[in-house]
Every structure is written in C-alpha cells, then in structure tokens.
Amino acid sequence: MDINAVNALSFEDFLEIFGNVIEKCPIIPAAIWIHRPFKSLADLEAHISDFIDSLPEAGKEGILRCHPDLAGRELQSGALTRDSQEEQHAAGFTDLRPEEVSHMRSLNSEYKQRFGFPFVICARLSGQRDITRELQRRLGEGREAEREHAIGEVKKICALRLRNLVLSDPPNKL
Amino acid sequence: MDINAVNALSFEDFLEIFGNVIEKCPIIPAAIWIHRPFKSLADLEAHISDFIDSLPEAGKEGILRCHPDLAGRELQSGALTRDSQEEQHAAGFTDLRPEEVSHMRSLNSEYKQRFGFPFVICARLSGQRDITRELQRRLGEGREAEREHAIGEVKKICALRLRNLVLSDPPNKL
C-alpha cells in the first residue's frame, strides 16, 4: 500500500489496518486520521509521534501499560497481539529455556514494581541477550527518564510496524 | 467487586477487567490506574472523565472513531466487543427489519460524512426509535458542539459499564 492508498481509506478501514501500530491504542491512529492527506510515510509517522508527545504524562504511562511483558504470561497463553507475537519471536523470546523465562519474569516484575509500567523495548532491533542486559541497566534509571526512554521505544516499534504496512516513498517523489 | 478489591489489582488485572470501559481505549484506564487508591466508584469515574477532558481535541475524536456504528457492519459480522453487542441488543438494534437497517446505515453514513466520526449515543438509556430520532436531530448540529455531545455520551456509556463491574459504595462508607 502506498501513501495515496492510505489517504483514500475511510477511518474504519484506516483503523482496521493501522489500529495496532501503537500496541492496543487504536485511539492514536484514530486521532491522527484527521490530518490526512499524509504527504508520506514519514509524515504519517510524525503525526503519530506528535500526538503521543501531546499527551499528558499519565497518558504516556497508559500507552506503556498497554504493552505485554517480554516472555510474560500473554506469550505463554497465546494471548499476544499478532504484532507482539512476531516481535517477541524475532528477538528469540519464544525459544527461552525455563530458567531464562524465570529470570526474565523476575526482572520484569522488579521493573514493574519500581516504575509502575512494564519494560518496553523495540525487540526487533536487538536479540534476547542484549535486551535482558538493557532491562537490567534500565532498572537503575530514574522514573521520568525511564518513561521518556520507553516512549522512544514505542515510537521505534511503531515505525517498524508502519513500514510493514506502507511502502516507503517512491524515489520520484520528493 | 468493591472499590477495595479494585484498588488491590495489579495494572495487568485492572486492564483485563476495565480495559473496555471506554470502547477499545484501554489506554484510558491504563492511564488513570496511577491514581489508585480510588476513594469510590464515583472517584474512579471522575478520574476517567478528567483524563478524557485533558486530551487534545484530536484525541477526543480518536475516542469517537473507536466506536462502532449502531446497526453497522460489526454488528452484522459478529465483530462487536461484548459490551457493544449487549448494548446494541438492549436498545433493539439486533431486531431491526431490513428496511430499518438500511435507514440506520444511510443516517450513519450521512453523519460520518458530515462530522468525520461515527454517531455515538448511550444506547442503554434509550430505545432504537428514540435513538434514530436523536441521530436525525444531531445531524443538524455544529461539529464542535457535536463532538462535545458525543464525548458526553461516551462518559455515560462508561458510567454504566463501570457500574456493571464495581459495586456502588456500601452505605456505611462515606
């Protein structure tokens, strides 16, 4: 689908396709649909990013709480969204040994206890070992810095999900 | 469940139970979870209402676009959330004659064309005939007034969904 096809969608069809570019937050694509016609994939992505930045801090934390744990109970029970399932699989979280699962759960739990939201990272950009190390490192961060860092990861996840749905701009377009 | 039980929930369990009090917007209960302990059902409801009011206009329209049409294609295909299914059934929209379905679709379509979001009304508080009359009347409103009106309906829907989940305050509690 190119950007012209995106711009031709009704909001219902737009939501059906883009409703999960931010995990379980269809309100966000639903909000920025009003800005069409989008000039490009980058323009669509920028509107999503700007909308997230316009939310109160509680809203940003709300976005984070809509994300599943890595190697958590939704993965175990098959309740992940398709996007999350594919991302966790790509990073290797579907192939952990039982002791690795226990270790991740213990770290996730410590993180949630400390910050009040789950650890969010763009799993497609790292492997499971690097992610585990990063989780341990980020446990030492302050709450506000960590919220902003995690929102940055949400935006990276969104960027990759968008690229799966929309063709980049053709080279003859400026 | 009473308010003390609500306050004891992890955010994961809170979201599992309250995730759809605003249709397809788990970000909203996820955002206001931070305000627990809630003093009462009314306090929980007020936090949701305040959060909605804190959103930019685009965000309020985003909430509206997450709502299905009355007697629309999701009802036809069985794709409604359980809450919506029960509400549309209670108002009589599952028992329309074919010509009544056509009439509603035509009105919904006109409304979306005019405002850029779907017609939202608390279906549990009216029957299908009154709702159809109200849809015709609201077609004559201005966009901004209509958005605010519709957000008021979203809050009524939320209030009834909350009352289905949380017991009202016991009489011995102030």
Side-chain angles (χ1 to χ4, degrees), chain B residues 97-144:
Chain B
R97 294 193 307 276
E99 63 270 26
E100 291 171 317
V101 172
S102 296
H103 185 51
M104 267 308 284
R105 297 218 175 161
S106 147
L107 290 172
N108 278 331
S109 177
E110 192 180 341
Y111 183 98
K112 287 187 283 191
Q113 192 66 34
R114 176 158 164 72
F115 296 113
F117 48 79
F119 175 70
V120 176
I121 191 166
C122 181
R124 280 201 194 274
L125 295 178
S126 313
Q128 169 257 320
R129 277 160 206 272
D130 288 342
I131 289 173
T132 308
R133 263 196 299 273
E134 179 69 357
L135 167 45
Q136 282 167 314
R137 189 193 69 72
R138 282 169 50 186
L139 270 168
E141 294 290 325
R143 191 165 196 276
E144 196 170 336

mmCIF file of all heavy atoms in Angstrom, chain B residues 97-144:
data_model
loop_
_atom_site.group_PDB
_atom_site.id
_atom_site.type_symbol
_atom_site.label_atom_id
_atom_site.label_comp_id
_atom_site.label_asym_id
_atom_site.label_seq_id
_atom_site.Cartn_x
_atom_site.Cartn_y
_atom_site.Cartn_z
ATOM 1 N N ARG B 97 -35.867 -4.627 11.171
ATOM 2 C CA ARG B 97 -36.253 -5.133 9.856
ATOM 3 C C ARG B 97 -35.233 -4.619 8.828
ATOM 4 O O ARG B 97 -34.593 -3.582 9.061
ATOM 5 C CB ARG B 97 -37.651 -4.617 9.495
ATOM 6 C CG ARG B 97 -38.775 -5.164 10.400
ATOM 7 C CD ARG B 97 -40.163 -4.870 9.805
ATOM 8 N NE ARG B 97 -40.334 -3.453 9.496
ATOM 9 C CZ ARG B 97 -40.724 -2.529 10.399
ATOM 10 N NH1 ARG B 97 -40.985 -2.871 11.647
ATOM 11 N NH2 ARG B 97 -40.868 -1.277 10.036
ATOM 12 N N PRO B 98 -35.085 -5.339 7.702
ATOM 13 C CA PRO B 98 -34.074 -4.929 6.697
ATOM 14 C C PRO B 98 -34.193 -3.451 6.307
ATOM 15 O O PRO B 98 -33.179 -2.764 6.155
ATOM 16 C CB PRO B 98 -34.365 -5.849 5.509
ATOM 17 C CG PRO B 98 -34.990 -7.062 6.118
ATOM 18 C CD PRO B 98 -35.764 -6.591 7.309
ATOM 19 N N GLU B 99 -35.434 -2.940 6.172
ATOM 20 C CA GLU B 99 -35.548 -1.530 5.744
ATOM 21 C C GLU B 99 -35.109 -0.577 6.860
ATOM 22 O O GLU B 99 -34.615 0.525 6.593
ATOM 23 C CB GLU B 99 -36.971 -1.208 5.245
ATOM 24 C CG GLU B 99 -38.075 -1.327 6.265
ATOM 25 C CD GLU B 99 -38.699 -2.739 6.305
ATOM 26 O OE1 GLU B 99 -38.000 -3.728 5.939
ATOM 27 O OE2 GLU B 99 -39.872 -2.842 6.726
ATOM 28 N N GLU B 100 -35.245 -1.034 8.125
ATOM 29 C CA GLU B 100 -34.762 -0.204 9.237
ATOM 30 C C GLU B 100 -33.230 -0.202 9.289
ATOM 31 O O GLU B 100 -32.609 0.832 9.578
ATOM 32 C CB GLU B 100 -35.326 -0.722 10.572
ATOM 33 C CG GLU B 100 -36.828 -0.510 10.712
ATOM 34 C CD GLU B 100 -37.420 -1.213 11.941
ATOM 35 O OE1 GLU B 100 -37.045 -2.380 12.213
ATOM 36 O OE2 GLU B 100 -38.253 -0.590 12.623
ATOM 37 N N VAL B 101 -32.630 -1.354 9.006
ATOM 38 C CA VAL B 101 -31.166 -1.419 8.925
ATOM 39 C C VAL B 101 -30.666 -0.477 7.831
ATOM 40 O O VAL B 101 -29.744 0.325 8.053
ATOM 41 C CB VAL B 101 -30.680 -2.868 8.652
ATOM 42 C CG1 VAL B 101 -29.178 -2.891 8.365
ATOM 43 C CG2 VAL B 101 -31.005 -3.784 9.821
ATOM 44 N N SER B 102 -31.294 -0.526 6.679
ATOM 45 C CA SER B 102 -30.884 0.364 5.567
ATOM 46 C C SER B 102 -30.993 1.822 5.973
ATOM 47 O O SER B 102 -30.109 2.636 5.657
ATOM 48 C CB SER B 102 -31.779 0.164 4.350
ATOM 49 O OG SER B 102 -31.638 -1.115 3.853
ATOM 50 N N HIS B 103 -32.089 2.164 6.658
ATOM 51 C CA HIS B 103 -32.299 3.549 7.074
ATOM 52 C C HIS B 103 -31.192 3.983 8.037
ATOM 53 O O HIS B 103 -30.603 5.069 7.879
ATOM 54 C CB HIS B 103 -33.681 3.671 7.739
ATOM 55 C CG HIS B 103 -34.055 5.068 8.097
ATOM 56 N ND1 HIS B 103 -34.002 6.126 7.216
ATOM 57 C CD2 HIS B 103 -34.503 5.588 9.273
ATOM 58 C CE1 HIS B 103 -34.379 7.238 7.823
ATOM 59 N NE2 HIS B 103 -34.691 6.941 9.077
ATOM 60 N N MET B 104 -30.873 3.132 9.043
ATOM 61 C CA MET B 104 -29.813 3.467 10.005
ATOM 62 C C MET B 104 -28.479 3.630 9.282
ATOM 63 O O MET B 104 -27.703 4.546 9.584
ATOM 64 C CB MET B 104 -29.669 2.343 11.046
ATOM 65 C CG MET B 104 -30.481 2.521 12.307
ATOM 66 S SD MET B 104 -30.268 4.120 13.132
ATOM 67 C CE MET B 104 -28.674 3.896 13.918
ATOM 68 N N ARG B 105 -28.186 2.738 8.345
ATOM 69 C CA ARG B 105 -26.891 2.823 7.642
ATOM 70 C C ARG B 105 -26.772 4.107 6.846
ATOM 71 O O ARG B 105 -25.721 4.723 6.788
ATOM 72 C CB ARG B 105 -26.724 1.615 6.721
ATOM 73 C CG ARG B 105 -26.698 0.355 7.559
ATOM 74 C CD ARG B 105 -25.725 -0.635 7.029
ATOM 75 N NE ARG B 105 -25.693 -1.736 7.978
ATOM 76 C CZ ARG B 105 -25.242 -2.944 7.722
ATOM 77 N NH1 ARG B 105 -24.765 -3.204 6.518
ATOM 78 N NH2 ARG B 105 -25.233 -3.862 8.631
ATOM 79 N N SER B 106 -27.890 4.471 6.256
ATOM 80 C CA SER B 106 -27.868 5.704 5.483
ATOM 81 C C SER B 106 -27.668 6.917 6.399
ATOM 82 O O SER B 106 -26.878 7.829 6.093
ATOM 83 C CB SER B 106 -29.151 5.749 4.659
ATOM 84 O OG SER B 106 -29.590 7.052 4.501
ATOM 85 N N LEU B 107 -28.338 6.915 7.570
ATOM 86 C CA LEU B 107 -28.151 8.022 8.520
ATOM 87 C C LEU B 107 -26.719 8.035 9.083
ATOM 88 O O LEU B 107 -26.092 9.092 9.191
ATOM 89 C CB LEU B 107 -29.145 7.905 9.679
ATOM 90 C CG LEU B 107 -30.619 8.181 9.354
ATOM 91 C CD1 LEU B 107 -31.498 7.836 10.563
ATOM 92 C CD2 LEU B 107 -30.823 9.643 8.951
ATOM 93 N N ASN B 108 -26.208 6.847 9.453
ATOM 94 C CA ASN B 108 -24.825 6.755 9.973
ATOM 95 C C ASN B 108 -23.836 7.296 8.951
ATOM 96 O O ASN B 108 -22.894 8.015 9.293
ATOM 97 C CB ASN B 108 -24.457 5.285 10.262
ATOM 98 C CG ASN B 108 -24.985 4.809 11.608
ATOM 99 O OD1 ASN B 108 -25.147 5.591 12.542
ATOM 100 N ND2 ASN B 108 -25.270 3.520 11.696
ATOM 101 N N SER B 109 -24.070 6.929 7.708
ATOM 102 C CA SER B 109 -23.167 7.338 6.655
ATOM 103 C C SER B 109 -23.200 8.861 6.473
ATOM 104 O O SER B 109 -22.146 9.515 6.339
ATOM 105 C CB SER B 109 -23.601 6.600 5.398
ATOM 106 O OG SER B 109 -22.835 6.985 4.326
ATOM 107 N N GLU B 110 -24.396 9.426 6.492
ATOM 108 C CA GLU B 110 -24.535 10.884 6.375
ATOM 109 C C GLU B 110 -23.817 11.574 7.540
ATOM 110 O O GLU B 110 -23.126 12.586 7.366
ATOM 111 C CB GLU B 110 -26.037 11.225 6.371
ATOM 112 C CG GLU B 110 -26.329 12.659 5.980
ATOM 113 C CD GLU B 110 -27.832 12.944 5.985
ATOM 114 O OE1 GLU B 110 -28.642 11.985 5.937
ATOM 115 O OE2 GLU B 110 -28.197 14.144 6.071
ATOM 116 N N TYR B 111 -24.005 11.016 8.740
ATOM 117 C CA TYR B 111 -23.403 11.599 9.947
ATOM 118 C C TYR B 111 -21.873 11.580 9.842
ATOM 119 O O TYR B 111 -21.190 12.572 10.115
ATOM 120 C CB TYR B 111 -23.878 10.813 11.181
ATOM 121 C CG TYR B 111 -23.390 11.360 12.506
ATOM 122 C CD1 TYR B 111 -24.209 12.184 13.285
ATOM 123 C CD2 TYR B 111 -22.119 11.051 12.979
ATOM 124 C CE1 TYR B 111 -23.770 12.683 14.505
ATOM 125 C CE2 TYR B 111 -21.665 11.551 14.190
ATOM 126 C CZ TYR B 111 -22.499 12.355 14.953
ATOM 127 O OH TYR B 111 -22.049 12.852 16.152
ATOM 128 N N LYS B 112 -21.308 10.436 9.439
ATOM 129 C CA LYS B 112 -19.847 10.319 9.346
ATOM 130 C C LYS B 112 -19.300 11.239 8.261
ATOM 131 O O LYS B 112 -18.229 11.823 8.408
ATOM 132 C CB LYS B 112 -19.452 8.859 9.080
ATOM 133 C CG LYS B 112 -19.643 7.991 10.306
ATOM 134 C CD LYS B 112 -19.100 6.595 10.120
ATOM 135 C CE LYS B 112 -20.043 5.763 9.284
ATOM 136 N NZ LYS B 112 -19.674 4.325 9.293
ATOM 137 N N GLN B 113 -20.039 11.350 7.181
ATOM 138 C CA GLN B 113 -19.651 12.260 6.102
ATOM 139 C C GLN B 113 -19.566 13.696 6.636
ATOM 140 O O GLN B 113 -18.631 14.435 6.352
ATOM 141 C CB GLN B 113 -20.701 12.170 4.989
ATOM 142 C CG GLN B 113 -20.316 12.834 3.694
ATOM 143 C CD GLN B 113 -19.137 12.139 3.020
ATOM 144 O OE1 GLN B 113 -18.993 10.920 3.097
ATOM 145 N NE2 GLN B 113 -18.275 12.925 2.398
ATOM 146 N N ARG B 114 -20.562 14.061 7.450
ATOM 147 C CA ARG B 114 -20.637 15.434 7.944
ATOM 148 C C ARG B 114 -19.578 15.720 9.009
ATOM 149 O O ARG B 114 -18.957 16.781 9.003
ATOM 150 C CB ARG B 114 -22.044 15.678 8.512
ATOM 151 C CG ARG B 114 -22.246 17.033 9.161
ATOM 152 C CD ARG B 114 -23.726 17.417 9.214
ATOM 153 N NE ARG B 114 -23.956 18.510 10.150
ATOM 154 C CZ ARG B 114 -23.598 19.770 9.953
ATOM 155 N NH1 ARG B 114 -22.993 20.101 8.814
ATOM 156 N NH2 ARG B 114 -23.828 20.694 10.856
ATOM 157 N N PHE B 115 -19.370 14.765 9.964
ATOM 158 C CA PHE B 115 -18.545 15.078 11.135
ATOM 159 C C PHE B 115 -17.166 14.406 11.123
ATOM 160 O O PHE B 115 -16.280 14.812 11.868
ATOM 161 C CB PHE B 115 -19.288 14.694 12.421
ATOM 162 C CG PHE B 115 -20.550 15.483 12.653
ATOM 163 C CD1 PHE B 115 -21.799 14.876 12.611
ATOM 164 C CD2 PHE B 115 -20.474 16.850 12.904
ATOM 165 C CE1 PHE B 115 -22.960 15.611 12.819
ATOM 166 C CE2 PHE B 115 -21.631 17.592 13.124
ATOM 167 C CZ PHE B 115 -22.876 16.975 13.078
ATOM 168 N N GLY B 116 -16.982 13.335 10.357
ATOM 169 C CA GLY B 116 -15.683 12.659 10.358
ATOM 170 C C GLY B 116 -15.505 11.718 11.534
ATOM 171 O O GLY B 116 -14.387 11.279 11.830
ATOM 172 N N PHE B 117 -16.550 11.436 12.266
ATOM 173 C CA PHE B 117 -16.539 10.401 13.312
ATOM 174 C C PHE B 117 -17.942 9.819 13.386
ATOM 175 O O PHE B 117 -18.892 10.430 12.878
ATOM 176 C CB PHE B 117 -16.067 10.959 14.679
ATOM 177 C CG PHE B 117 -16.719 12.257 15.110
ATOM 178 C CD1 PHE B 117 -17.997 12.281 15.660
ATOM 179 C CD2 PHE B 117 -16.037 13.466 14.965
ATOM 180 C CE1 PHE B 117 -18.587 13.467 16.059
ATOM 181 C CE2 PHE B 117 -16.631 14.675 15.349
ATOM 182 C CZ PHE B 117 -17.904 14.673 15.915
ATOM 183 N N PRO B 118 -18.071 8.618 13.996
ATOM 184 C CA PRO B 118 -19.388 7.966 13.977
ATOM 185 C C PRO B 118 -20.333 8.537 15.034
ATOM 186 O O PRO B 118 -19.895 9.140 16.018
ATOM 187 C CB PRO B 118 -19.052 6.505 14.310
ATOM 188 C CG PRO B 118 -17.824 6.592 15.152
ATOM 189 C CD PRO B 118 -17.040 7.780 14.641
ATOM 190 N N PHE B 119 -21.609 8.331 14.825
ATOM 191 C CA PHE B 119 -22.637 8.736 15.792
ATOM 192 C C PHE B 119 -22.530 7.860 17.034
ATOM 193 O O PHE B 119 -22.616 6.626 16.948
ATOM 194 C CB PHE B 119 -24.025 8.554 15.157
ATOM 195 C CG PHE B 119 -25.159 8.832 16.096
ATOM 196 C CD1 PHE B 119 -25.442 10.127 16.529
ATOM 197 C CD2 PHE B 119 -25.973 7.793 16.558
ATOM 198 C CE1 PHE B 119 -26.504 10.385 17.383
ATOM 199 C CE2 PHE B 119 -27.038 8.045 17.420
ATOM 200 C CZ PHE B 119 -27.300 9.337 17.827
ATOM 201 N N VAL B 120 -22.312 8.497 18.194
ATOM 202 C CA VAL B 120 -22.179 7.751 19.454
ATOM 203 C C VAL B 120 -23.275 8.206 20.406
ATOM 204 O O VAL B 120 -23.481 9.410 20.606
ATOM 205 C CB VAL B 120 -20.787 7.971 20.095
ATOM 206 C CG1 VAL B 120 -20.698 7.261 21.449
ATOM 207 C CG2 VAL B 120 -19.679 7.476 19.166
ATOM 208 N N ILE B 121 -23.970 7.235 20.972
ATOM 209 C CA ILE B 121 -25.018 7.537 21.950
ATOM 210 C C ILE B 121 -25.065 6.389 22.954
ATOM 211 O O ILE B 121 -24.735 5.246 22.608
ATOM 212 C CB ILE B 121 -26.390 7.731 21.260
ATOM 213 C CG1 ILE B 121 -27.424 8.319 22.218
ATOM 214 C CG2 ILE B 121 -26.892 6.424 20.618
ATOM 215 C CD1 ILE B 121 -28.690 8.839 21.541
ATOM 216 N N CYS B 122 -25.425 6.699 24.182
ATOM 217 C CA CYS B 122 -25.535 5.662 25.210
ATOM 218 C C CYS B 122 -26.817 4.871 24.944
ATOM 219 O O CYS B 122 -27.907 5.272 25.351
ATOM 220 C CB CYS B 122 -25.555 6.310 26.587
ATOM 221 S SG CYS B 122 -25.649 5.096 27.909
ATOM 222 N N ALA B 123 -26.669 3.751 24.236
ATOM 223 C CA ALA B 123 -27.838 3.021 23.730
ATOM 224 C C ALA B 123 -28.686 2.429 24.853
ATOM 225 O O ALA B 123 -29.899 2.249 24.683
ATOM 226 C CB ALA B 123 -27.378 1.912 22.771
ATOM 227 N N ARG B 124 -28.070 2.172 26.008
ATOM 228 C CA ARG B 124 -28.829 1.586 27.111
ATOM 229 C C ARG B 124 -29.858 2.547 27.702
ATOM 230 O O ARG B 124 -30.750 2.128 28.438
ATOM 231 C CB ARG B 124 -27.898 1.137 28.233
ATOM 232 C CG ARG B 124 -27.220 -0.197 27.964
ATOM 233 C CD ARG B 124 -26.731 -0.828 29.260
ATOM 234 N NE ARG B 124 -25.816 -1.926 29.008
ATOM 235 C CZ ARG B 124 -26.225 -3.176 28.788
ATOM 236 N NH1 ARG B 124 -27.509 -3.474 28.805
ATOM 237 N NH2 ARG B 124 -25.345 -4.123 28.555
ATOM 238 N N LEU B 125 -29.694 3.834 27.418
ATOM 239 C CA LEU B 125 -30.598 4.811 28.025
ATOM 240 C C LEU B 125 -31.763 5.181 27.113
ATOM 241 O O LEU B 125 -32.589 6.020 27.471
ATOM 242 C CB LEU B 125 -29.822 6.072 28.435
ATOM 243 C CG LEU B 125 -28.770 5.878 29.539
ATOM 244 C CD1 LEU B 125 -28.042 7.179 29.832
ATOM 245 C CD2 LEU B 125 -29.405 5.333 30.829
ATOM 246 N N SER B 126 -31.860 4.570 25.932
ATOM 247 C CA SER B 126 -32.970 4.886 25.012
ATOM 248 C C SER B 126 -33.307 3.660 24.177
ATOM 249 O O SER B 126 -32.481 2.761 24.045
ATOM 250 C CB SER B 126 -32.591 6.005 24.042
ATOM 251 O OG SER B 126 -31.988 7.073 24.694
ATOM 252 N N GLY B 127 -34.458 3.697 23.593
ATOM 253 C CA GLY B 127 -34.806 2.641 22.642
ATOM 254 C C GLY B 127 -34.366 3.041 21.245
ATOM 255 O O GLY B 127 -33.963 4.185 20.998
ATOM 256 N N GLN B 128 -34.471 2.088 20.340
ATOM 257 C CA GLN B 128 -33.984 2.283 18.985
ATOM 258 C C GLN B 128 -34.681 3.435 18.263
ATOM 259 O O GLN B 128 -34.058 4.203 17.540
ATOM 260 C CB GLN B 128 -34.143 0.944 18.237
ATOM 261 C CG GLN B 128 -33.944 0.981 16.758
ATOM 262 C CD GLN B 128 -35.282 0.944 16.026
ATOM 263 O OE1 GLN B 128 -36.197 0.220 16.421
ATOM 264 N NE2 GLN B 128 -35.377 1.742 14.978
ATOM 265 N N ARG B 129 -36.011 3.583 18.475
ATOM 266 C CA ARG B 129 -36.733 4.659 17.774
ATOM 267 C C ARG B 129 -36.273 6.046 18.230
ATOM 268 O O ARG B 129 -36.047 6.943 17.410
ATOM 269 C CB ARG B 129 -38.240 4.541 18.024
ATOM 270 C CG ARG B 129 -38.902 3.538 17.098
ATOM 271 C CD ARG B 129 -40.229 3.085 17.680
ATOM 272 N NE ARG B 129 -40.559 1.768 17.175
ATOM 273 C CZ ARG B 129 -41.225 1.560 16.043
ATOM 274 N NH1 ARG B 129 -41.648 2.563 15.304
ATOM 275 N NH2 ARG B 129 -41.481 0.333 15.634
ATOM 276 N N ASP B 130 -36.124 6.201 19.563
ATOM 277 C CA ASP B 130 -35.653 7.488 20.088
ATOM 278 C C ASP B 130 -34.246 7.792 19.585
ATOM 279 O O ASP B 130 -33.910 8.946 19.283
ATOM 280 C CB ASP B 130 -35.642 7.461 21.619
ATOM 281 C CG ASP B 130 -37.044 7.489 22.195
ATOM 282 O OD1 ASP B 130 -37.979 7.865 21.454
ATOM 283 O OD2 ASP B 130 -37.210 7.119 23.383
ATOM 284 N N ILE B 131 -33.421 6.740 19.530
ATOM 285 C CA ILE B 131 -32.040 6.929 19.081
ATOM 286 C C ILE B 131 -32.011 7.377 17.624
ATOM 287 O O ILE B 131 -31.260 8.282 17.248
ATOM 288 C CB ILE B 131 -31.227 5.621 19.289
ATOM 289 C CG1 ILE B 131 -31.002 5.394 20.795
ATOM 290 C CG2 ILE B 131 -29.902 5.676 18.538
ATOM 291 C CD1 ILE B 131 -30.373 4.056 21.146
ATOM 292 N N THR B 132 -32.839 6.762 16.804
ATOM 293 C CA THR B 132 -32.880 7.152 15.388
ATOM 294 C C THR B 132 -33.329 8.617 15.245
ATOM 295 O O THR B 132 -32.752 9.379 14.459
ATOM 296 C CB THR B 132 -33.827 6.210 14.612
ATOM 297 O OG1 THR B 132 -33.448 4.861 14.879
ATOM 298 C CG2 THR B 132 -33.742 6.455 13.121
ATOM 299 N N ARG B 133 -34.330 9.008 16.031
ATOM 300 C CA ARG B 133 -34.771 10.420 16.006
ATOM 301 C C ARG B 133 -33.643 11.354 16.429
ATOM 302 O O ARG B 133 -33.436 12.406 15.829
ATOM 303 C CB ARG B 133 -35.996 10.606 16.927
ATOM 304 C CG ARG B 133 -37.334 10.562 16.188
ATOM 305 C CD ARG B 133 -38.467 11.131 17.047
ATOM 306 N NE ARG B 133 -38.647 10.369 18.278
ATOM 307 C CZ ARG B 133 -39.416 9.271 18.377
ATOM 308 N NH1 ARG B 133 -40.069 8.824 17.328
ATOM 309 N NH2 ARG B 133 -39.523 8.646 19.532
ATOM 310 N N GLU B 134 -32.913 10.926 17.498
ATOM 311 C CA GLU B 134 -31.814 11.750 18.018
ATOM 312 C C GLU B 134 -30.682 11.872 16.992
ATOM 313 O O GLU B 134 -30.095 12.954 16.835
ATOM 314 C CB GLU B 134 -31.309 11.119 19.334
ATOM 315 C CG GLU B 134 -30.159 11.833 20.007
ATOM 316 C CD GLU B 134 -30.495 13.192 20.594
ATOM 317 O OE1 GLU B 134 -31.647 13.667 20.452
ATOM 318 O OE2 GLU B 134 -29.581 13.810 21.176
ATOM 319 N N LEU B 135 -30.422 10.799 16.292
ATOM 320 C CA LEU B 135 -29.391 10.846 15.236
ATOM 321 C C LEU B 135 -29.779 11.860 14.159
ATOM 322 O O LEU B 135 -28.953 12.680 13.725
ATOM 323 C CB LEU B 135 -29.203 9.437 14.649
ATOM 324 C CG LEU B 135 -28.414 9.208 13.351
ATOM 325 C CD1 LEU B 135 -27.113 9.988 13.317
ATOM 326 C CD2 LEU B 135 -28.115 7.729 13.162
ATOM 327 N N GLN B 136 -31.057 11.852 13.777
ATOM 328 C CA GLN B 136 -31.515 12.818 12.769
ATOM 329 C C GLN B 136 -31.374 14.250 13.280
ATOM 330 O O GLN B 136 -30.938 15.144 12.560
ATOM 331 C CB GLN B 136 -32.964 12.509 12.377
ATOM 332 C CG GLN B 136 -33.032 11.326 11.402
ATOM 333 C CD GLN B 136 -34.415 10.762 11.221
ATOM 334 O OE1 GLN B 136 -35.135 10.535 12.200
ATOM 335 N NE2 GLN B 136 -34.787 10.505 9.973
ATOM 336 N N ARG B 137 -31.743 14.464 14.557
ATOM 337 C CA ARG B 137 -31.637 15.803 15.137
ATOM 338 C C ARG B 137 -30.177 16.257 15.188
ATOM 339 O O ARG B 137 -29.841 17.389 14.796
ATOM 340 C CB ARG B 137 -32.240 15.788 16.551
ATOM 341 C CG ARG B 137 -32.373 17.173 17.177
ATOM 342 C CD ARG B 137 -32.669 17.127 18.664
ATOM 343 N NE ARG B 137 -31.571 16.633 19.477
ATOM 344 C CZ ARG B 137 -30.451 17.299 19.722
ATOM 345 N NH1 ARG B 137 -30.272 18.505 19.206
ATOM 346 N NH2 ARG B 137 -29.491 16.766 20.472
ATOM 347 N N ARG B 138 -29.286 15.339 15.642
ATOM 348 C CA ARG B 138 -27.884 15.731 15.833
ATOM 349 C C ARG B 138 -27.153 15.974 14.513
ATOM 350 O O ARG B 138 -26.133 16.678 14.478
ATOM 351 C CB ARG B 138 -27.152 14.722 16.728
ATOM 352 C CG ARG B 138 -27.516 14.957 18.205
ATOM 353 C CD ARG B 138 -27.063 13.852 19.165
ATOM 354 N NE ARG B 138 -25.667 13.480 19.014
ATOM 355 C CZ ARG B 138 -25.092 12.462 19.669
ATOM 356 N NH1 ARG B 138 -25.810 11.744 20.523
ATOM 357 N NH2 ARG B 138 -23.830 12.182 19.475
ATOM 358 N N LEU B 139 -27.695 15.442 13.437
ATOM 359 C CA LEU B 139 -27.138 15.750 12.111
ATOM 360 C C LEU B 139 -27.158 17.254 11.817
ATOM 361 O O LEU B 139 -26.384 17.744 10.986
ATOM 362 C CB LEU B 139 -27.939 15.017 11.031
ATOM 363 C CG LEU B 139 -27.438 13.627 10.659
ATOM 364 C CD1 LEU B 139 -28.482 12.910 9.809
ATOM 365 C CD2 LEU B 139 -26.111 13.714 9.915
ATOM 366 N N GLY B 140 -28.027 17.976 12.504
ATOM 367 C CA GLY B 140 -28.124 19.416 12.265
ATOM 368 C C GLY B 140 -27.200 20.249 13.146
ATOM 369 O O GLY B 140 -27.172 21.485 13.051
ATOM 370 N N GLU B 141 -26.432 19.608 14.029
ATOM 371 C CA GLU B 141 -25.564 20.344 14.955
ATOM 372 C C GLU B 141 -24.270 20.797 14.278
ATOM 373 O O GLU B 141 -23.906 20.308 13.215
ATOM 374 C CB GLU B 141 -25.184 19.438 16.145
ATOM 375 C CG GLU B 141 -26.345 19.057 17.052
ATOM 376 C CD GLU B 141 -26.856 20.230 17.873
ATOM 377 O OE1 GLU B 141 -26.026 21.077 18.267
ATOM 378 O OE2 GLU B 141 -28.085 20.320 18.086
ATOM 379 N N GLY B 142 -23.537 21.684 14.957
ATOM 380 C CA GLY B 142 -22.199 22.078 14.505
ATOM 381 C C GLY B 142 -21.187 21.032 14.940
ATOM 382 O O GLY B 142 -21.442 20.260 15.870
ATOM 383 N N ARG B 143 -20.019 21.024 14.292
ATOM 384 C CA ARG B 143 -19.037 19.961 14.545
ATOM 385 C C ARG B 143 -18.524 19.957 15.987
ATOM 386 O O ARG B 143 -18.449 18.917 16.630
ATOM 387 C CB ARG B 143 -17.857 20.148 13.583
ATOM 388 C CG ARG B 143 -16.900 18.975 13.559
ATOM 389 C CD ARG B 143 -15.994 19.080 12.333
ATOM 390 N NE ARG B 143 -15.355 17.806 12.089
ATOM 391 C CZ ARG B 143 -14.248 17.397 12.693
ATOM 392 N NH1 ARG B 143 -13.667 18.169 13.575
ATOM 393 N NH2 ARG B 143 -13.727 16.212 12.423
ATOM 394 N N GLU B 144 -18.178 21.146 16.481
ATOM 395 C CA GLU B 144 -17.589 21.203 17.821
ATOM 396 C C GLU B 144 -18.612 20.804 18.885
ATOM 397 O O GLU B 144 -18.315 20.011 19.782
ATOM 398 C CB GLU B 144 -17.056 22.606 18.094
ATOM 399 C CG GLU B 144 -16.114 22.675 19.265
ATOM 400 C CD GLU B 144 -15.421 24.036 19.366
ATOM 401 O OE1 GLU B 144 -15.312 24.719 18.323
ATOM 402 O OE2 GLU B 144 -15.019 24.407 20.468
#
